[in-house]
Amino acid sequence: MIKRFKCDLSPELTTCLKLSDKDRSDCCRIQDPIPNDGECFMKDIGNELSKLYRRHERMFVKRRRIMEMALPIRRRCRYVPKCPCQFSKNIEIVRADQPSYTRTEQLALPTVRRLLNRRQLAISTGDTIGESILNRLLRYSYLSLYSRLMNIQPLKKPVKKKKTTKRQKARQNKFFAKMAVPKVVPKPPKLERQAKEISPGRLKKLSRPKRYMEEVKPQWELTETMRQYKPTKRIKIMAKHHDRENVHINESPEKVAPNALTYKPSARIKEMSQPLTMHEANTVPVDIKENPFAIAPNALKYKASSRMKELAEPKEFENTHIRENPFAISPAALKAKATPRLIELAKPKGG
């Protein structure tokens, strides 16, 4: 049996203060004792506490080890009543549902959506006390200034939707089947170009400058690791020069193949091996010609046309650069009047 303190508010012991507890030796005497009819409220408080204990028991898994560990090692009084003489100011009782008028108090009220969500949770868990508190807060939030400005309305019972008839379902299915068919994408029309017309997109693409990436080779340097490098045996073998025979050099170039010596050319090959003779001038080389300035016989027989004769005659051009009277003055220059600026410029310098 666990020993309980007088201040331990539990279902077995409803209250910690009784009428006989008005005399306290550790502090001053209580001037206003608990009235005789004050114990009538203790029963209601005990009932509320018993409800809380029952809720607490339902919320946790009852295991023997957990319940043993939940008991405190050093049990102390949960609430020690203090004497009012220790406070310098008077104790004022403030109502819990005091109306709020200031802007700060109005803005400090919780949002209606959050309260409705918490209220729904309290109803589902069977928390009547929490539901009553949330109802009070909801009343304040609904009647606040900012909720009225936002036109927040209380929740309404949702209207049940009517069941669709067979005719409506058939109509819906017909509409869904129509909408499920994919649309045919129209083909873009072909561009009609006129003769010698160039595509503007092609011109724009060709007008863009080409980008050339300049390859910057780093300057070669003989590093310290390269100086101290020691090649392996395999690298030394691969670094040796191989002497190979040059198959492209013929040691005896004057040697003729035996097939070429015994070959007999045909009449056609002999004919093709002779040089072409177009006319008598090509039969003899230029260096051996008797008269290199001789005129070709075809040129002597050629008859010139009238147009060729006209073009062959020299033309006389009038020389426009030489004047007949170079000292003549034009009539416009004689009629011209000199401006003051011209007169000033005509004066000799340093005069």
Side-chain angles (χ1 to χ4, degrees), residues 52 55 58-59 118-119 121-134:
L52 288 173
R55 278 184 58 204
R58 286 198 302 269
M59 289 175 67
R118 294 288 297 275
R119 180 173 172 271
L121 183 64
I123 292 170
S124 61
T125 54
D127 186 6
T128 55
I129 298 172
E131 185 183 354
S132 62
I133 295 169
L134 289 167

Side-chain angles (χ1 to χ4, degrees), residues 40-51:
C40 62
F41 298 103
M42 301 303 173
K43 188 177 180 181
D44 297 335
I45 295 170
N47 292 334
E48 295 292 336
L49 282 172
S50 61
K51 285 183 181 179

Side-chain angles (χ1 to χ4, degrees), residues 186-294:
K187 293 182 180 180
K190 292 184 179 180
L191 296 173
E192 295 181 359
R193 294 183 186 174
Q194 298 179 1
K196 297 182 180 180
E197 187 179 359
I198 302 170
S199 173
R202 178 66 177 164
L203 276 175
K204 192 174 182 181
K205 186 178 179 181
L206 291 171
S207 64
R208 292 173 185 168
K210 291 184 179 180
R211 293 183 179 181
Y212 295 97
M213 298 297 291
E214 187 178 356
E215 295 182 2
V216 180
K217 294 183 179 180
Q219 190 176 1
W220 187 85
E221 294 180 0
L222 183 64
T223 58
E224 191 67 26
T225 53
M226 293 170 67
R227 289 176 182 174
Q228 298 176 1
Y229 177 72
K230 294 180 180 180
T232 59
K233 189 177 181 181
R234 175 61 180 165
I235 292 174
K236 289 179 180 179
I237 293 168
M238 293 173 68
K240 288 181 180 179
H241 178 67
H242 288 275
D243 294 330
R244 295 186 179 89
E245 295 180 0
N246 194 349
V247 295
H248 302 288
I249 298 173
N250 194 358
E251 294 180 358
S252 55
E254 68 279 355
K255 188 177 180 181
V256 183
N259 293 333
L261 294 171
T262 58
Y263 178 73
K264 292 180 180 181
S266 61
R268 177 60 180 162
I269 290 174
K270 288 179 181 179
E271 184 183 352
M272 291 175 67
S273 63
Q274 292 178 1
L276 294 173
T277 55
M278 296 297 293
H279 47 80
E280 295 176 359
N282 292 334
T283 55
V284 184
V286 180
D287 301 333
I288 311 172
K289 282 183 180 180
E290 295 179 359
N291 188 8
F293 302 102

